[in-house]
Amino acid sequence: MSRVVDRSSEHDCTGGKVLVNYQSGGSFSSGDVLSGLCFLSKYAQKKIRELQEKEATEYIAQARRQFHFESNQRTCNMTVLSMLPPLREAIISQLNSESLTVLLKTRPANKLEIWEDLKIISFTRSVVAVYTTCMLVVLLRVQLNIIGGYLYLDNSVGRSTTTPLAPPDVQQQYLSSIQHLLGNGLTELMTVVKKAVQNSLGGMSLKQSLSLLELEQQLSWIRAEVEADSEHSLSWYLLADDEDVLSDQACGLTENDVVTIRLLNETRDMLDSPDFTTVLNTCLNRGFSRLLDNLAEFFRPPPGDSASSFATDSLSAVSLPLAKIIPIINGQINSICSETPSHFVQDLLMNNQVKEFAANVYETFSTPQELQK
């Protein structure tokens, strides 16, 4: 519909209100327009202020979450270091080479037989030490970030329920499951590793010389046999997966016990994930590489040796009799399972893939369930 504007009232020399008439009826004054604009301006300012407040709240919450996560990682590192001495003692108590070395000093008649036992035990305990230290690092990253995520939610502002997701009693019961790695899991792993060491080195003469490259190959063969075990994946040694054992660990049927079993099952799901397998394998690769770096110190050509002038960095420049390698490999457990931050442990704790994996676990369990749906 066309509109007709009465121009006669368009200008008011007295400064009065300007009226615009439409044939359709009614009129709007400039005051009405200004009032509308004022309302819209205040509304926009209110919305902008609400948006800014929301962004500020989200930023503070994210900063708080990040601070809590970083604090949790420091706790993880300290927990790993505190668990290494009991792990070392558990390995040494079952693979006691010290008693054999003492026995050798008495010049026994079965000296060769004792040396053969010492060979198998020395390699077995160093290989087991690498495996279990890597397992301990990754397992504790999973457990403490699950707990850390739930603790963050428990302390979040505006939680709809006061029932804690991870009460102190539950935390204690849940974290005690680490004893499987230091107990039955460790014993089972030792059996598998010892068999692989026997197959690789059992028939090798103590007089046979090995270069660092050849020693690396022997360790690779041992790893391949251990990790090709069709009966159990490596995660099996970390956490008991039998339902009865889980129930026993949770000590009954109370509400806290049910929560503990749920946490253990969530942990098992994480241990069975491809990401966990990838991260553990990364740690093992780095761990065995660091072990070889430690051994390399004993394979350096002596000063002035002709080999040192052209093959200082060669893995095959120097060879040592197996009898001399045994005490070297035997002592590696003290640097692998050291409670003071050694290069071996630092490499694992500071590994980027371990950090990323920990962040993903924490993210999963610190996000409210309604936001995950």
Side-chain angles (χ1 to χ4, degrees):
M1 178 182 294
S2 61
R3 64 187 185 183
V4 177
V5 179
D6 182 359
R7 299 288 182 180
S8 62
S9 61
E10 187 172 352
H11 297 286
D12 186 343
C13 295
T14 65
K17 294 181 179 179
V18 178
L19 299 178
V20 181
N21 296 323
Y22 293 88
Q23 189 178 33
S24 57
S27 63
F28 295 97
S29 69
S30 59
D32 293 333
V33 174
L34 290 174
S35 296
L37 290 175
C38 183
F39 172 78
L40 289 174
S41 175
K42 289 181 178 180
Y43 180 78
Q45 289 176 358
K46 178 184 178 184
K47 286 299 180 183
I48 291 172
R49 188 164 56 251
E50 289 176 354
L51 181 61
Q52 289 174 336
E53 290 174 353
K54 181 181 178 183
E55 288 177 346
T57 301
E58 289 176 351
Y59 176 80
I60 292 171
Q62 185 60 34
R64 177 175 170 272
R65 192 181 191 188
Q66 182 64 27
F67 176 81
H68 186 262
F69 169 73
E70 291 173 356
S71 175
N72 200 51
Q73 303 325 294
R74 290 191 291 272
T75 300
C76 286
N77 293 342
M78 295 304 296
T79 305
V80 168
L81 293 175
S82 71
M83 291 296 296
L84 288 175
L87 174 62
R88 183 179 64 237
E89 293 306 313
I91 295 172
I92 290 175
S93 67
Q94 295 193 56
L95 296 169
N96 191 344
S97 62
E98 284 71 22
S99 61
L100 296 178
T101 56
V102 170
L103 194 58
L104 283 172
K105 292 177 181 178
T106 65
R107 301 181 181 276
N110 60 340
K111 181 180 178 180
L112 184 58
E113 182 183 338
I114 295 173
W115 264 105
E116 288 294 330
D117 289 343
L118 184 60
K119 174 180 68 177
I120 302 302
I121 288 177
S122 296
F123 274 88
T124 299
R125 80 177 192 173
S126 287
V127 171
V128 167
V130 174
Y131 271 110
T132 51
T133 300
C134 292
M135 290 172 173
L136 186 68
V137 167
V138 188
L139 175 59
L140 283 173
R141 274 293 188 276
V142 171
Q143 289 192 301
L144 291 176
N145 279 292
I146 289 177
I147 288 292
Y150 282 144
L151 285 177
Y152 173 81
L153 291 178
D154 282 342
N155 293 288
S156 294
V157 177
R159 253 195 98 220
S160 58
T161 176
T162 57
T163 304
L165 295 167
D169 288 347
V170 167
Q171 295 177 44
Q172 186 175 358
Q173 289 177 350
Y174 169 60
L175 293 175
S176 69
S177 63
I178 195 75
Q179 293 304 316
H180 178 76
L181 177 58
L182 276 65
N184 292 340
L186 177 63
T187 301
E188 293 287 345
L189 180 61
M190 284 179 178
T191 300
V192 173
V193 172
K194 191 173 184 178
K195 180 183 176 183
V197 170
Q198 184 70 51
N199 291 339
S200 179
L201 298 170
M204 188 176 292
S205 168
L206 295 170
K207 296 179 181 180
Q208 182 170 335
S209 291
L210 294 173
S211 66
L212 190 63
L213 182 62
E214 291 168 329
L215 188 57
E216 180 182 21
Q217 186 62 63
Q218 293 294 328
L219 290 172
S220 295
W221 288 336
I222 293 168
R223 272 195 71 184
E225 183 172 340
V226 171
E227 293 169 33
D229 182 16
S230 58
E231 225 177 301
H232 303 298
S233 65
L234 291 179
S235 65
W236 184 85
Y237 303 104
L238 302 179
L239 192 70
D241 60 351
D242 185 277
E243 288 300 323
D244 292 333
V245 175
L246 292 178
S247 297
D248 289 343
Q249 287 179 347
C251 307
L253 297 173
T254 67
E255 184 177 344
N256 279 354
D257 299 333
V258 172
V259 175
T260 303
I261 292 176
R262 176 175 58 79
L263 290 176
L264 291 169
N265 287 333
E266 289 172 338
T267 304
R268 170 57 62 189
D269 290 341
M270 296 300 298
L271 300 188
D272 290 339
S273 70
D275 286 348
F276 177 86
T277 302
T278 299
V279 172
L280 179 57
N281 194 55
T282 298
C283 288
L284 290 172
N285 290 340
R286 189 69 199 110
F288 279 101
S289 177
R290 176 56 72 177
L291 173 62
L292 285 165
D293 289 345
N294 293 346
L295 297 174
E297 297 297 319
F298 299 91
F299 283 81
R300 295 187 181 280
D305 191 287
S306 59
S308 64
S309 61
F310 61 87
T312 303
D313 297 325
S314 174
L315 295 178
S316 56
V318 175
S319 295
L320 295 175
L322 185 54
K324 286 191 174 182
I325 295 175
I326 290 172
I328 296 172
I329 197 81
N330 185 58
Q332 290 304 306
I333 190 172
N334 295 313
S335 62
I336 296 170
C337 299
S338 173
E339 63 270 30
T340 56
S342 64
H343 290 301
F344 185 95
V345 177
Q346 285 292 104
D347 280 356
L348 301 178
L349 296 179
M350 297 295 107
N351 183 276
N352 285 333
Q353 279 191 266
V354 172
K355 290 180 178 180
E356 290 173 8
F357 179 65
N360 289 337
V361 175
Y362 183 87
E363 176 76 18
T364 299
F365 291 93
S366 64
T367 302
Q369 288 188 356
E370 57 268 20
L371 296 182
Q372 295 181 18
K373 295 177 181 179

